Amino acid sequence: MKIEPTSFSQIPFEFSSFKKRDFASFVEGENQPLIYSLNTIIEKEKNDSLYIWGPTGTGKTHLLQAACKKAYEINCHVTYIPLKQYKDFSFEMLDGLGELDLVCVDDLEYISDSIEWQQRLTLLFNEIRDNHNSIIISSAVSPKNINIELNDLKSRLVWGQVYKIKSPNDELKIEILRKKAAERSFQLGNDVAEFLIRRSNRDLNSLIEILAEIDRSSLAEKRKVTIPFIKKLIS
């Protein structure tokens, strides 16, 4: 398999879609040890496997895409595999990826019903280790409890480091929402952010989706983002 320098090999997304997913835009909270380990792997100070798990909305995909972006920027060969969409492409896309400096595999739990993907991912683990490269995996479930039929794969999930990503508390959610609003070029006051957290689904992904709707609606109606405006929008 020929690998072009500093390329995303067989990536199913355009690199431009990663442009806002970097470590600078991730509010780390209590996840400093995890960020440190990710950077150690990306900068090839240590070749390893890293398994990140935790609930939806805690930033796992953000971190994997940020890792890919940083690795790409320092001239590493890297790819990102979103297993949430695994039915859209063949498990044969994993062929040869063990030659890359870094492979990021997102949402592992989605292949719990595919023994073919599990078998091929097990081989990929072996290839990565033989080539002294690295793999980062994310899942909503711990490696101990994940519904993976293939025991050979389950054993490899704990070959390296395992981190449970720490969920943000309400104070950190406010900081994240204000930062995301600033990225969209509008201001979100503390009182408005607190209201959002109290009145809507407290899952961070859901809050960020609401933020996107607030941005669209406020621009369309030429309204300032206030609590009365958000009350009307949510209702």
Side-chain angles (χ1 to χ4, degrees):
M1 173 181 170
K2 183 179 178 182
I3 302 170
E4 295 299 325
T6 66
S7 66
F8 274 87
S9 173
Q10 302 185 30
I11 193 166
F13 298 117
E14 292 295 326
F15 174 66
S16 59
S17 68
F18 286 64
K19 62 184 178 181
K20 291 185 179 178
R21 297 286 178 90
D22 55 26
F23 289 118
S25 60
F26 182 79
V27 182
E28 61 186 30
E30 298 180 47
N31 293 299
Q32 296 94 335
L34 171 55
I35 304 300
Y36 175 81
S37 292
L38 285 167
N39 279 290
T40 298
I41 289 174
I42 294 162
E43 293 166 11
K44 296 187 75 67
E45 295 175 22
K46 181 182 181 183
N47 298 318
D48 206 350
S49 64
L50 175 60
Y51 186 103
I52 306 170
W53 68 281
T56 299
T58 48
K60 299 185 298 295
T61 293
H62 185 128
L63 288 179
L64 263 65
Q65 293 186 1
C68 284
K69 182 180 179 184
K70 183 170 181 179
Y72 177 89
E73 289 170 348
I74 61 174
N75 296 333
C76 290
H77 302 116
V78 59
T79 194
Y80 170 82
I81 308 295
L83 291 182
K84 187 180 288 187
Q85 298 171 230
Y86 83 93
K87 291 181 180 178
D88 295 337
F89 37 84
S90 168
F91 62 88
E92 293 175 350
M93 73 176 297
L94 301 182
D95 292 349
L97 297 188
E99 299 177 30
L100 303 182
D101 298 301
L102 177 64
V103 176
C104 291
V105 179
D106 207 1
D107 295 311
L108 180 66
E109 68 273 13
Y110 278 83
I111 61 165
S112 61
D113 60 348
S114 174
I115 192 66
E116 289 181 326
W117 271 88
Q118 292 174 35
Q119 289 171 336
R120 189 60 195 84
L121 196 56
T122 302
L123 292 176
L124 178 59
F125 256 97
N126 296 340
E127 293 163 6
I128 287 170
R129 191 177 215 188
D130 290 345
N131 289 315
H132 305 289
N133 292 319
S134 296
I135 183 168
I136 302 171
I137 294 177
S138 87
S139 175
V141 187
S142 74
K144 180 180 178 181
N145 295 321
I146 193 167
N147 183 23
I148 291 291
E149 182 180 347
L150 198 63
N151 287 329
D152 284 347
L153 177 56
K154 287 195 76 169
S155 68
R156 282 156 178 76
L157 299 179
V158 292
W159 268 1
Q161 304 175 72
V162 176
Y163 279 95
K164 181 179 182 182
I165 194 167
K166 304 289 180 62
S167 300
N169 57 27
D170 285 356
E171 183 178 340
L172 194 57
K173 284 180 182 177
I174 289 171
E175 183 181 347
I176 293 169
L177 288 175
R178 296 194 68 186
K179 194 166 189 175
K180 293 293 182 184
E183 289 173 4
R184 290 177 170 274
S185 302
F186 75 92
Q187 290 186 338
L188 191 72
N190 275 338
D191 57 338
V192 178
E194 288 173 5
F195 177 80
L196 268 176
I197 290 171
R198 290 197 309 268
R199 290 291 299 273
S200 57
N201 190 320
R202 297 167 77 88
D203 168 77
L204 190 55
N205 275 354
S206 300
L207 289 167
I208 290 171
E209 287 175 8
I210 292 171
L211 202 65
E213 181 58 32
I214 290 169
D215 186 24
R216 287 190 293 268
S217 298
S218 64
L219 285 172
E221 298 183 30
K222 298 180 180 179
R223 294 273 304 274
K224 287 185 67 175
V225 179
T226 61
I227 290 176
F229 175 70
I230 290 176
K231 277 184 179 178
K232 178 184 175 184
L233 190 65
I234 291 176
S235 65

